[in-house]
């Protein structure tokens, strides 16, 4: 039975990078009828905030990425302590007392000598008496996992064959001096106990994976299938890390991006498959294969989300937006016509406010100097509303007969006079929605 998890730390809002991780894991679970766990990685009590837990759930719900279960690491601390004891009992866990400054100094020396900055395991050589002395002077140490210095290998679902020399990696700290359990071990214990079969995450976790594979084996379990997706960059290949704050899911939502535009893009971006708009998260399952994705950084351009959103809107039925139209002030009796007229002409749903304002309050007319007499003559021929489906053709025929104008020279000045814009919905459809025509009021 396939089990995947999305494991955000509730220390901020989730962004497009996190979304990629969430979506891939969700798709893998749904594709095989498995389980998708939302795991809150909240072992850091200072940085974890309840408001972010709520925000993450809200964002996933808005996207339609439903989870089968929520787990919280803060409720499982006893299990991590037990696993730590197990490693201690096996001699795979040791206490180290170097201060951050000392570690930094060691790293600098190693780098100066052209060596990789790997922890030198000095603490392993301490005698019991020396440890007791250091503990007395400095308080409790950190606990490091003693890696077996061999090659760690796995077949990555995206990156292919991976082989990492454990000697090139520092023994990871799994418990801080203040006793706080770190993600590296908590995640391993959870993945084992929750029966996680597939872990997809960003390629910034590749080294973690190497060490976690050893910890998993030390705890007597078999590692899940790992896959690491490439990190997102901006459209020019620039690092996105600094901008991720403005690429949060809620920020994109506030800017009017449609969830299916975002999901459709993210389910294919960076893969060999073209982006295709689908109408539900479930519909993205078909054709989704991790092996279609490449290792190269993936260019993400938020501007791509807007044409996709416009497409989504074009296919959105009234029922799905009725509430939003009511909020914009559109009366129920006019909602259907309004939506059918306007949905082809907006990029984001927020623009319905402007269109309804135009209908209800009228637009400042735009009249070119050379059209001034023509428009005045035409407006004199426009009867007072309300207008019907036939009003536009009746009116423009009358104007044509009176002025001799036709085609664009006839229609464009009238459109601009009535809507203040050169582009927009079909005028025959729009006219019955116009409650006020400012140009006619003089
Ligand atoms: N909390 C970790 C993160 O957000 C989870 C990584 C993982 O998927 O194991 O980076």
């Amino acid at each position: 039975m396939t089990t995947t998890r999305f494991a955000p730390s509730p220390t901020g809002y989730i962004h497009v990078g996190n979304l990629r991780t969430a979506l891939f894991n969700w798709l893998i679970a749904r594709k095989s009828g498995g389980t998708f766990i939302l795991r809150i990685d909240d072992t850091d009590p200072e940085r974890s905030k309840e408001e972010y837990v709520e925000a993450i759930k809200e964002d996933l719900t808005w996207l339609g990425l439903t989870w089968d279960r929520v787990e919280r690491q803060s409720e499982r601390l006893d299990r991590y302590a037990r696993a730590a004891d197990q490693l201690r009992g096996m001699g795979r866990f040791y206490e180290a007392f170097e201060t951050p400054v000392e570690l930094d100094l060691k790293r600098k020396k190693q780098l100066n000598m052209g060596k990789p900055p790997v922890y030198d395991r000095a603490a392993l050589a301490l005698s019991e008496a020396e440890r007791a002395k250091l503990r007395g002077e400095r308080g409790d140490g950190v606990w490091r996992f003693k890696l077996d210095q061999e090659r760690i290998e796995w077949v990555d679902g995206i990156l292919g064959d991976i082989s990492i020399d454990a000697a090139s990696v520092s023994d990871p700290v799994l418990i801080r001096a203040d006793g706080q359990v770190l993600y590296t071990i908590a995640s391993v214990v959870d993945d084992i106990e929750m029966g996680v079969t597939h872990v997809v995450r960003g390629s910034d976790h590749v080294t973690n994976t190497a060490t976690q594979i050893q910890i998993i084996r030390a705890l007597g379990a078999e590692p899940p299938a790992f896959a690491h997706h490439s990190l997102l960059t901006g459209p020019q290949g620039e690092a996105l890390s600094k901008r991720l704050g403005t690429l949060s899911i809620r920020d994109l939502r506030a800017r009017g991006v449609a969830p299916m535009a975002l999901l459709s893009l993210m389910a294919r971006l960076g893969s060999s498959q073209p982006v295709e708009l689908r109408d539900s998260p479930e519909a993205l399952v078909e054709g989704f294969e991790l092996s279609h994705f490449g290792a190269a950084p993936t260019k993400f351009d938020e501007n791509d989300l807007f044409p996709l959103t416009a497409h989504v809107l074009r296919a959105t039925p009234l029922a799905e937006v009725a509430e939003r139209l009511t909020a914009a002030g559109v009366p129920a009796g006019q909602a259907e016509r309004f939506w059918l007229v306007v949905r082809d002409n907006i990029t984001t749903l927020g623009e319905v406010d402007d269109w309804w304002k135009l209908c209800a309050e009228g637009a400042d007319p735009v009249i070119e100097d050379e059209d001034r007499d023509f428009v005045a003559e035409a407006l004199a021929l426009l009867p007072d509303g309300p207008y019907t489906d036939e009003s536009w053709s009746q009116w423009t025929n009358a104007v044509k007969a009176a002025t001799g104008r036709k085609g664009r020279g006839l229609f464009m000045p009238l459109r601009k006079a009535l809507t203040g814009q050169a582009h927009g919905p079909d005028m025959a459809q729009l006219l019955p929605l116009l409650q006020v025509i400012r140009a006619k009021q003089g």
Side-chain angles (χ1 to χ4, degrees), residues 326-345:
T326 305
V330 184
Q334 276 167 304
E336 172 127 44
R337 171 184 289 272
F338 177 78
W339 180 238
L340 294 181
V341 165
V342 160
R343 69 177 181 181
D344 293 339
N345 289 278

Side-chain angles (χ1 to χ4, degrees), residues 12 45 98 145-146 154 207 217 263 265 269 273 290 367 389:
E98 288 89 350
F145 176 74
K146 187 166 167 255
W154 74 92
T207 308
R217 295 221 163 99
L263 291 179
L265 181 68
L269 195 68
Q273 306 302 108
L290 272 186
I367 303 170
D389 282 349

Side-chain angles (χ1 to χ4, degrees), residues 5 7 9 41 183 187 201 205:
R5 84 298 196 280
S9 306
D41 282 6
Y183 148 80
S187 182
R201 54 192 181 187
H205 280 290

Side-chain angles (χ1 to χ4, degrees), residues 5-9 18 21 39 41 183 187 191 199-201 204-205 212:
R5 84 298 196 280
F6 172 49
S9 306
N18 305 123
T21 308
R39 191 184 84 197
D41 282 6
Y183 148 80
S187 182
D191 287 339
V199 172
V200 184
R201 54 192 181 187
D204 50 335
H205 280 290
Q212 286 180 329

Side-chain angles (χ1 to χ4, degrees), residues 71-289:
E71 297 279 358
R72 294 188 67 136
Q73 292 196 324
S74 57
E75 290 165 4
R76 297 174 45 80
L77 298 177
D78 54 331
R79 297 172 189 263
Y80 311 141
R82 222 176 298 151
D85 283 342
Q86 211 178 322
L87 295 175
R88 222 172 258 126
M90 278 185 237
R92 295 294 297 271
F93 223 24
Y94 63 96
E95 199 175 5
F97 297 91
E98 288 89 350
T99 62
V101 176
E102 285 168 347
L103 288 174
D104 203 42
L105 211 66
K106 284 189 190 203
R107 271 194 292 269
K108 284 197 179 120
K109 271 193 199 154
Q110 286 167 317
L111 287 171
N112 278 341
M113 292 190 300
K115 287 189 186 160
V118 178
Y119 177 61
D120 62 7
R121 297 185 153 178
L124 264 183
L126 296 173
S127 68
E128 189 51 57
E130 286 167 322
R131 273 203 292 271
K133 183 164 174 280
L134 281 166
R135 210 175 286 124
E137 289 165 8
R138 301 183 171 196
D140 287 338
V142 301
W143 285 86
R144 288 184 184 264
F145 176 74
K146 187 166 167 255
L147 290 167
D148 272 337
Q149 297 203 325
E150 58 187 23
R151 294 203 80 86
I152 305 167
E153 305 190 322
W154 74 92
V155 183
D156 193 280
I158 293 174
L159 304 175
D161 288 331
I162 300 281
S163 172
I164 290 180
D165 182 2
S168 70
V169 181
S170 296
D171 288 340
V173 173
L174 302 188
I175 298 184
R176 293 201 325 195
D178 63 3
Q180 187 184 311
V181 173
L182 292 181
Y183 148 80
T184 312
I185 185 165
S187 182
V188 157
V189 172
D190 290 346
D191 287 339
I192 295 173
E193 293 188 7
M194 295 171 195
V196 170
T197 56
H198 296 72
V199 172
V200 184
R201 54 192 181 187
S203 49
D204 50 335
H205 280 290
V206 166
T207 308
N208 272 340
T209 297
T211 62
Q212 286 180 329
I213 284 176
Q214 280 208 5
I215 302 171
I216 293 168
R217 295 221 163 99
L219 291 171
E222 267 309 300
F226 282 105
H228 297 83
H229 57 73
S230 65
L231 298 185
L232 297 179
T233 69
Q236 259 71 55
E238 71 276 21
L240 214 52
S241 46
K242 288 199 192 71
R243 291 197 41 239
L244 283 174
T246 64
L247 292 174
S248 70
I249 304 303
R250 52 194 44 219
D251 187 67
L252 295 173
R253 172 161 81 229
R255 288 161 66 192
V257 169
M260 280 318 300
L262 189 50
L263 291 179
S264 298
L265 181 68
M266 297 316 284
R268 298 292 183 269
L269 195 68
S271 81
S272 52
Q273 306 302 108
V275 175
E276 252 179 71
L277 199 55
R278 304 257 170 109
D279 60 7
S280 69
E282 289 74 17
L284 290 165
V285 167
E286 200 203 311
F288 175 81
E289 294 288 346

